Amino acid sequence: MADSYRILLGENELPQQWYNVQPDLPRPLPPYLHPATGKPVTPDDMLPIFPMELILQEVSQERWIEIPDEVLDIYRLWRPSPLHRARRLEKLLKTPARIYFKNESVSPAGSHKPNTAVPQAYYNKMAGVTRLATETGAGQWGSALSFACNAFGLGCTVYMVKVSYQQKPYRRSMMQIWGSEVYPSPTDRTDSGRAILAQDPESPGSLGIAISEAVEDAVKHEDTKYALGSVLNHVLVHQSIVGLETKKQLQLAGEKADVLVGCVGGGSNFAGFCFPFVPDKLKGDNIRMVAVEPTSCPTFTKGAYMYDFGDTAGLTPLMLMYTLGHSFVPPGIHAGGLRYHGDAPLLSLLVHEKVIEARAYPQNPVFEAAIAFARTEGIVPAPETAHAIRAGVDEALKCKETGEEKCIVIAFSGHGFLDLAAYDNFIGGNLIDFEYPDSKIQEAIAAIPKFPG
Amino acid sequence: MADSYRILLGENELPQQWYNVQPDLPRPLPPYLHPATGKPVTPDDMLPIFPMELILQEVSQERWIEIPDEVLDIYRLWRPSPLHRARRLEKLLKTPARIYFKNESVSPAGSHKPNTAVPQAYYNKMAGVTRLATETGAGQWGSALSFACNAFGLGCTVYMVKVSYQQKPYRRSMMQIWGSEVYPSPTDRTDSGRAILAQDPESPGSLGIAISEAVEDAVKHEDTKYALGSVLNHVLVHQSIVGLETKKQLQLAGEKADVLVGCVGGGSNFAGFCFPFVPDKLKGDNIRMVAVEPTSCPTFTKGAYMYDFGDTAGLTPLMLMYTLGHSFVPPGIHAGGLRYHGDAPLLSLLVHEKVIEARAYPQNPVFEAAIAFARTEGIVPAPETAHAIRAGVDEALKCKETGEEKCIVIAFSGHGFLDLAAYDNFIGGNLIDFEYPDSKIQEAIAAIPKFPG
């Protein structure tokens, strides 16, 4: 029998509980603050937009949270996902390291996003909600939520940033295939949308505007709630299924991870992947966890750790997190999923406590690594995922220098079938390595109101 | 433990031999005929374009053909592929039938095509060839061969029909990611290309022209050979890996298939899926095998069983097969992979002998079934694959009427991530159900030279 390439788990090995890192944190997570009062947000404050079960998960101190059977039933359409040994990439790099990648591209939407979309749709359904409203940029989250709502017979309204709606019609098609209503935002369906259109009828939209429209839609309709695809604690809880499976698969392979790498936009993919390893690390295991971001949106590597709004408009609760300032607008890099000004509060706390480290890369070396990966392992990575691959490759090259036989595990968050235009740009030599000037970043950070003290 | 959704095989259960149906045919396969002489083609005639090992497989009477370790090593990047139980589709249809689908969309190129691209690249490499030339329409085959050539360090030149090159840039990007040279055909690199361009500098190209260019490239360069993605016997042999795995997986699930359905363009996907079941059928098993084609290119259902050319230009050997006439040009339906005027000779023989049955569908009911599938099973099917799904759904609906608890297995040949524009057309109500007038078909068939008698 030749060397194995994929470590597969049977359906009966699918984890039955999610992992919640909150009870294992080195210090408690500071509360969200109400944007009007500066007081900690209460569960009641959140009820107009989220169902109680998700609000309870948001603040839960339970280490293990039961996954409902109905959610497992949908997960099983593609989970457990495979862990691959990247033997051909290892050979190319001539590294003594062993490289693995956890493949979330096998989901219906092609990324890790359905891991939380499915339970969010389920808990809303159980709470009597009949429709979810959300925003989406390029469409990864919108398509995942569309798939999940359809699975539970919920309506789904997606406010898609207008310029993406027009220029990237493919994920819109996926949302429609799964039965969602998709509107180019700003729309005339909401006050926030109409206000923008009154000022500028040709507005290309932004994620900030689309969030406002989706939240307003939820608040104004009693049967409708809102769903968010990253950043919040309950989202990170759901994504822990990725890391829990990875742990089992590494055990099966007789491995112990030395380095975990993943890309960070809002942080849910990376947190879901590495949080189940945090207790080991806190108990003295010398595992390293590396969060990778683009230099054009360097939240961890150049941002400040302070209270800031989750959205551009400044309407959401304030969260203690790494942030570039909610007014920070990163350039239009191809890894659209990594263009968020903040990072998940739980992940931010662990970076601040130096449990997790962070690193930033410009686009070109990222795409170089993506092509090397596609040529050896076959799968074309999403531009976001390619950031993780770059870091994994660099860790493996370091091992080549030192001779260390490390076990490196990459979070392969999604495929690039709908991002091929970005590869075109790279192959054509038209990709710009944008690095944000520090002064601009300092300016945006200085603009954050010092309001909660 | 809940009901299972996916039947997975471990890497050690990957078949080690391909199955060749030739020794099991009810009567021998008539030879290919030389287009100039009308005499049977000899291995030497084929040597300028194929390596000897593939020519020997083309005429082999061995039932089992060893899969080289180097090929298994690449197969293992994604194989064995999963067999899914489509429980949610069954529920939607309220059928007593059990529906399975064999999922070839998990390959690097997203379809079954790499199953033959990989061994073709390997045998060429072993024969000292340094570059392969091929044609591609929308790009499924071109991307699969690019992946395979890259895996063995071979160069790859793809002549891509110009109109697809311009309108569907995404598969071109995939080919370039895997290191291929891709040219919009007609090119000025070949005599055939230059001749077309001299007549019409704005020619949009055609698959026929692209084939001529690729073959000419191979014939004129000693280090270069040609590769074909369907129709030929050796291609069908390689694709048997699909059916062999399916048999094992059905056994594991305690099932015996009653009906196998698959779509047919050239026939390699369907043949690979069902040929391993042919000996059972010939021994009296009452399994049914249903080949599904579009009504706009109804080769089996309205074509003639006779010798015809494999290409539009009439340069290839003559093959005894079902054909609509090599001059037949089907309309531009969305299932581009099903627009071939002929069908694989091996598959044609078995249809002619009534071992395999055939059925045709128009586009709209096909896309209806595809959407029902995407909404229940999550995966968005390629338009080609959707033809098989339509037939599988209809078989299941028949069981609902009769109360029969049949086991229906669908060949899920590829995903639709790069075909979302077709879904857009369907959802927008802009898809035309084209049925070719019988008189046109009779005309094209009458134009086939009666040359070999």
Side-chain angles (χ1 to χ4, degrees):
Chain A
M1 164 63 191
D3 295 332
S4 75
Y5 281 84
R6 291 184 303 162
I7 296 110
L8 304 176
L9 296 176
E11 282 176 27
N12 51 355
E13 294 165 290
L14 185 62
Q16 307 288 304
Q17 300 173 311
W18 291 299
Y19 168 70
N20 176 20
V21 80
Q22 290 210 48
D24 292 326
L25 291 176
R27 58 177 173 80
L29 186 72
Y32 300 158
L33 302 180
H34 196 289
T37 64
K39 299 257 163 67
V41 166
T42 65
D44 279 355
D45 290 335
M46 292 194 267
L47 253 186
I49 58 169
F50 295 122
M52 188 47 87
E53 202 63 38
L54 290 177
I55 296 171
L56 293 176
Q57 287 183 5
E58 192 64 23
V59 297
S60 171
Q61 296 299 316
E62 296 297 319
R63 187 169 287 115
W64 298 103
I65 295 175
E66 217 58 39
I67 308 178
D69 283 346
E70 293 84 348
V71 170
L72 289 171
D73 232 36
I74 307 293
Y75 275 176
R76 270 197 295 267
L77 292 176
W78 74 94
R79 302 209 72 88
S81 70
L83 179 74
H84 301 240
R85 171 87 183 264
R87 290 185 188 275
R88 292 170 51 81
L89 180 62
E90 292 169 15
K91 260 181 220 154
L92 176 79
L93 301 175
K94 299 195 178 75
T95 176
R98 297 179 305 289
I99 307 175
Y100 290 84
F101 62 99
K102 175 66 169 170
N103 186 359
E104 291 297 304
S105 78
V106 298
S107 85
S111 78
H112 63 291
K113 292 285 187 192
N115 296 332
T116 184
V118 171
Q120 289 196 46
Y122 169 75
Y123 289 118
N124 274 288
K125 174 80 175 184
M126 289 300 102
V129 173
T130 62
R131 184 170 66 97
L132 286 179
T134 200
E135 73 286 340
T136 201
Q140 275 281 10
W141 168 243
S143 55
L145 192 68
S146 299
F147 161 73
C149 283
N150 171 72
F152 291 109
L154 284 179
C156 183
T157 305
V158 183
Y159 295 88
M160 185 173 187
V161 176
K162 195 192 274 173
V163 60
S164 297
Y165 183 95
Q166 289 165 340
Q167 289 175 6
K168 298 183 177 179
Y170 299 112
R171 287 209 172 265
R172 169 181 53 73
S173 306
M174 288 177 73
M175 297 183 238
Q176 291 170 331
I177 287 171
W178 284 317
S180 288
E181 288 184 314
V182 189
Y183 298 102
S185 165
T187 74
D188 60 3
R189 296 169 51 87
T190 65
D191 290 344
S192 5
R194 282 186 293 268
I196 302 284
L197 289 174
Q199 283 174 15
D200 176 9
E202 302 305 312
S203 164
S206 73
L207 209 51
I209 298 168
I211 293 177
S212 307
E213 290 208 277
V215 170
E216 184 184 328
D217 187 339
V219 171
K220 284 197 178 156
H221 296 93
E222 217 171 310
D223 64 336
T224 301
K225 295 216 181 277
Y226 170 73
L228 194 71
S230 189
V231 179
L232 299 180
N233 305 342
H234 68 270
V235 177
L236 275 51
V237 164
H238 303 154
Q239 292 293 356
S240 70
I241 188 97
V242 178
L244 293 169
E245 286 181 9
T246 304
K247 272 189 113 163
K248 282 195 188 190
Q249 286 163 313
L250 287 171
Q251 236 160 24
L252 266 181
E255 291 280 11
K256 204 206 77 51
D258 295 302
V259 190
L260 303 176
V261 296
C263 64
V264 175
S268 71
N269 149 60
F270 180 66
F273 175 61
C274 72
F275 279 6
F277 295 85
V278 164
D280 307 333
K281 168 118 187 171
L282 293 173
K283 279 178 206 137
D285 183 358
N286 65 355
I287 187 171
R288 286 172 50 223
M289 307 177 194
V290 184
V292 188
E293 59 189 16
T295 50
S296 53
C297 190
T299 318
F300 280 138
T301 49
K302 297 204 171 171
Y305 185 59
M306 61 191 293
Y307 268 100
D308 194 7
F309 297 105
D311 66 330
T312 316
L315 299 170
T316 69
L318 291 144
M319 300 179 282
L320 183 58
M321 61 179 177
Y322 279 89
T323 175
L324 295 165
H326 61 277
S327 65
F328 180 87
V329 180
I333 60 161
H334 280 298
L338 307 185
R339 292 178 70 236
Y340 185 61
H341 70 272
D343 275 321
L346 281 170
L347 189 54
S348 291
L349 186 150
L350 288 165
V351 169
H352 196 246
E353 295 294 321
K354 302 198 190 324
V355 177
I356 290 171
E357 55 192 283
R359 184 183 303 177
Y361 285 106
Q363 291 191 91
N364 277 300
V366 160
F367 274 89
E368 258 169 47
I371 295 227
F373 187 90
R375 290 190 179 173
T376 48
E377 299 303 317
I379 314 175
V380 178
E384 291 83 357
T385 310
H387 286 73
I389 292 169
R390 176 76 253 178
V393 163
D394 283 357
E395 289 293 325
L397 291 175
K398 237 190 288 173
C399 289
K400 187 175 168 181
E401 279 177 33
T402 62
E404 288 172 295
E405 297 180 6
K406 283 189 180 168
C407 171
I408 300 165
V409 191
I410 300 169
F412 192 92
S413 55
H415 64 63
F417 282 130
L418 298 172
D419 303 284
L420 291 168
Y423 282 90
D424 248 21
N425 275 327
F426 173 72
I427 291 169
N430 301 319
L431 218 58
I432 294 165
D433 274 347
F434 192 93
E435 193 153 346
Y436 231 82
D438 286 2
S439 58
K440 274 275 180 198
I441 293 171
Q442 293 316 317
E443 210 174 283
I445 291 172
I448 304 171
K450 294 300 172 299
F451 165 74
Chain B
M1 164 66 191
D3 295 331
S4 75
Y5 281 83
R6 291 185 303 163
I7 297 112
L8 304 176
L9 296 176
E11 282 176 26
N12 51 355
E13 295 164 290
L14 184 62
Q16 307 288 305
Q17 300 172 311
W18 290 300
Y19 168 70
N20 177 19
V21 80
Q22 289 210 49
D24 292 326
L25 292 176
R27 58 177 173 81
L29 186 73
Y32 301 159
L33 302 180
H34 197 288
T37 64
K39 299 257 163 66
V41 166
T42 66
D44 279 354
D45 290 334
M46 293 193 267
L47 254 185
I49 58 169
F50 295 122
M52 188 48 85
E53 202 63 40
L54 291 176
I55 297 170
L56 293 176
Q57 287 182 5
E58 192 64 22
V59 296
S60 171
Q61 296 299 315
E62 297 297 319
R63 187 170 286 115
W64 298 103
I65 295 175
E66 218 57 40
I67 308 178
D69 283 346
E70 293 83 349
V71 170
L72 289 172
D73 232 35
I74 307 293
Y75 276 176
R76 270 198 293 268
L77 292 176
W78 74 95
R79 305 207 70 87
S81 71
L83 180 73
H84 300 241
R85 171 85 183 265
R87 290 186 188 275
R88 292 170 50 81
L89 180 61
E90 292 170 15
K91 260 181 219 153
L92 176 80
L93 301 175
K94 299 195 178 75
T95 175
R98 298 179 305 289
I99 307 176
Y100 290 84
F101 62 100
K102 174 66 169 169
N103 186 359
E104 291 297 305
S105 78
V106 297
S107 86
S111 78
H112 63 292
K113 292 285 187 193
N115 296 331
T116 184
V118 171
Q120 288 195 48
Y122 168 75
Y123 289 118
N124 274 287
K125 175 80 174 182
M126 290 301 104
V129 173
T130 63
R131 185 170 67 96
L132 287 179
T134 199
E135 74 286 341
T136 201
Q140 276 281 9
W141 168 243
S143 56
L145 192 68
S146 299
F147 160 72
C149 283
N150 170 71
F152 291 108
L154 284 179
C156 184
T157 305
V158 183
Y159 295 88
M160 185 173 188
V161 177
K162 194 192 275 172
V163 60
S164 297
Y165 184 96
Q166 289 165 340
Q167 289 175 4
K168 298 183 176 177
Y170 298 112
R171 287 209 172 264
R172 168 180 55 72
S173 306
M174 288 177 72
M175 297 183 238
Q176 290 170 332
I177 287 171
W178 284 316
S180 288
E181 289 184 313
V182 189
Y183 298 102
S185 164
T187 74
D188 59 3
R189 298 168 50 86
T190 64
D191 290 343
S192 4
R194 283 186 292 268
I196 301 285
L197 289 174
Q199 282 175 16
D200 175 11
E202 302 305 312
S203 164
S206 74
L207 209 52
I209 297 168
I211 293 177
S212 307
E213 291 209 278
V215 171
E216 184 183 327
D217 187 340
V219 171
K220 285 197 177 154
H221 296 93
E222 218 172 308
D223 64 336
T224 302
K225 296 217 181 277
Y226 170 73
L228 194 70
S230 189
V231 179
L232 299 180
N233 305 343
H234 68 268
V235 177
L236 276 50
V237 164
H238 303 155
Q239 292 292 356
S240 69
I241 188 96
V242 179
L244 293 168
E245 287 181 9
T246 305
K247 273 188 112 164
K248 282 196 189 189
Q249 287 164 313
L250 287 170
Q251 237 159 24
L252 266 180
E255 290 281 10
K256 203 205 77 52
D258 294 302
V259 191
L260 303 176
V261 297
C263 64
V264 175
S268 71
N269 149 60
F270 180 66
F273 175 61
C274 73
F275 279 6
F277 295 86
V278 163
D280 307 332
K281 168 120 186 170
L282 294 173
K283 280 178 206 140
D285 184 359
N286 64 356
I287 188 172
R288 287 171 51 222
M289 306 177 195
V290 184
V292 188
E293 59 188 17
T295 49
S296 52
C297 191
T299 318
F300 280 137
T301 49
K302 297 204 171 171
Y305 186 59
M306 61 191 292
Y307 269 101
D308 194 6
F309 297 105
D311 66 329
T312 317
L315 299 170
T316 69
L318 291 144
M319 300 179 280
L320 182 58
M321 61 180 178
Y322 278 90
T323 177
L324 294 164
H326 62 277
S327 64
F328 181 87
V329 180
I333 60 162
H334 280 297
L338 307 185
R339 292 178 69 236
Y340 185 61
H341 71 272
D343 276 320
L346 280 170
L347 188 55
S348 291
L349 185 150
L350 287 165
V351 169
H352 196 245
E353 295 294 322
K354 302 196 189 325
V355 177
I356 290 171
E357 55 192 283
R359 185 184 301 176
Y361 285 105
Q363 291 193 91
N364 277 300
V366 160
F367 274 89
E368 258 169 47
I371 293 222
F373 187 91
R375 290 189 180 173
T376 48
E377 299 302 318
I379 314 174
V380 179
E384 291 83 356
T385 310
H387 286 73
I389 292 169
R390 175 76 254 178
V393 164
D394 283 357
E395 290 292 326
L397 290 174
K398 237 192 286 173
C399 289
K400 187 175 168 182
E401 278 177 33
T402 62
E404 288 170 294
E405 297 180 7
K406 283 190 180 167
C407 171
I408 300 165
V409 191
I410 299 169
F412 192 91
S413 54
H415 64 63
F417 283 129
L418 297 172
D419 302 284
L420 291 168
Y423 282 90
D424 248 20
N425 275 327
F426 173 73
I427 291 168
N430 301 318
L431 217 58
I432 294 165
D433 274 346
F434 191 92
E435 193 152 346
Y436 232 81
D438 286 2
S439 59
K440 274 277 181 199
I441 294 171
Q442 292 316 316
E443 212 174 280
I445 291 173
I448 304 171
K450 294 300 172 296
F451 165 73

